[in-house]
Amino acid sequence: MDRVTARTLQEKKSRGEKIVMVTATDFSWARIVEEAGVDVILVGDSLAQVALGYGTTLPVTMEEMLVFTRAAAAGARRALLVSDMPFLSFQVSRAEARRNAGRFLKEGGAAAVKLEGGLEAAETVAGIVSMGIPVMGHVGLTPQSVHAFGGYRVQGKEPGRAREIVDGARALEEAGVFALVLEGIPSALAGEITASLKIPTIGIGAGSECDGQVLVLHDLLGIFREFTPSFVKRYAELGAEAERAVQEFCKEVRGGKFPDEKNIVN
Ligand code: KIV
């Protein structure tokens, strides 16, 4: 059982094999998605919404991300475990960014970090990479910039913004990212970036031409039901199934049906 590394993902791109990444928030989910065969487990800051119930990803803190990272890392034995650097953990100073990136490996047990931003993040990325920490980039509809974008709007439809995203992707590759998430951009633009980079791209709401795809696990499984972005495909309705199971438990307890002999310890 060889561990997935940045090199494995690079080899997959060379062979034209698609890369699969999903998010996981704890030990049990990490075990399940790893057994299912994913290449990369992302402890995404989307957990702010799907696990902590915050309205956006902005409030989640380093300390919160570290708790979830440690839990998921305990379950990831083969997949590459990447942790998301939360808002304000890398933007204020390069020194803070390096320290916080290091904490994800030292205290969280992650093997790599991901951070959002294009050209403006390149020097920060280079500083973290120089410490021997693998960094995944993330451009396009970067959710930490939701207020600057005026909502979760597809990015790169206009030529100027498309150029900015392409330039950012190139700068990040030069800065040393080992892979790049392309989120919420037109499929043709994602295809152009994917063809022009040596490193693999992983898309979410960015069409089929990326080298891999990522979904938030709670979306994929139908657990997070507050809203579902149009690019999400639900592969199960576990939220409804969990609700049904708990309803049955309520009914059996209230009706005196649970516990029965089999569930009683003597
Ligand atoms: O936080 C997250 O889950 C992410 C993925 C959607 C790429 O950044």
Side-chain angles (χ1 to χ4, degrees), residues 21 23 42 44-46 84 114 138 181 183 204 214 216:
M21 176 159 97
T23 64
L42 173 67
D45 64 354
S46 55
D84 230 349
K114 174 170 88 55
H138 186 164
V181 171
E183 176 163 359
I204 175 160
V214 54
V216 172

Side-chain angles (χ1 to χ4, degrees), residues 42-224:
L42 173 67
V43 183
D45 64 354
S46 55
L47 68 81
Q49 290 160 293
V50 302
L52 293 170
Y54 302 155
T56 69
T57 58
L58 298 174
V60 70
T61 65
M62 270 301 297
E63 304 313 317
E64 288 167 332
M65 288 300 297
L66 281 169
V67 170
F68 286 100
T69 300
R70 268 196 297 277
R77 295 164 194 169
R78 177 195 50 80
L80 176 66
L81 191 99
V82 181
S83 202
D84 230 349
M85 296 195 67
F87 180 61
L88 234 50
S89 70
F90 62 93
Q91 294 96 336
V92 176
S93 78
R94 304 221 170 95
E96 240 182 275
R98 288 200 297 268
R99 176 173 304 282
N100 284 329
R103 290 188 70 195
F104 277 114
L105 272 65
K106 196 178 172 81
E107 299 170 42
V113 296
K114 174 170 88 55
L115 59 86
E116 296 183 8
L119 210 50
E120 74 287 358
E123 278 192 34
T124 300
V125 165
I128 299 172
V129 170
S130 75
M131 295 168 68
I133 300 175
V135 180
M136 179 179 278
H138 186 164
V139 296
L141 200 188
T142 43
Q144 290 175 15
S145 301
V146 59
H147 296 306
F149 295 151
Y152 296 101
R153 296 169 192 281
V154 173
Q155 298 292 304
K157 283 188 178 169
E158 318 76 30
R161 178 72 180 121
R163 170 73 19 228
E164 222 173 82
I165 295 169
V166 170
D167 291 347
R170 290 217 180 104
L172 291 169
E173 180 171 67
E174 272 170 33
V177 298
F178 68 90
L180 184 62
V181 171
L182 303 178
E183 176 163 359
I185 62 172
S187 170
L189 178 59
E192 181 193 326
I193 294 172
T194 300
S196 73
L197 298 182
K198 292 191 189 73
I199 53 160
T201 61
I202 303 179
I204 175 160
S208 60
E209 291 180 47
C210 301
D211 298 306
Q213 294 291 325
V214 54
L215 280 179
V216 172
L217 188 66
H218 290 61
D219 289 336
L220 183 165
L221 297 179
I223 296 173
F224 184 67

Side-chain angles (χ1 to χ4, degrees), residues 221-239:
L221 297 179
I223 296 173
F224 184 67
R225 297 181 291 170
E226 306 308 304
F227 59 87
T228 307
S230 60
F231 55 77
V232 165
K233 178 169 175 185
R234 283 194 186 180
Y235 287 82
E237 292 298 340
L238 293 198

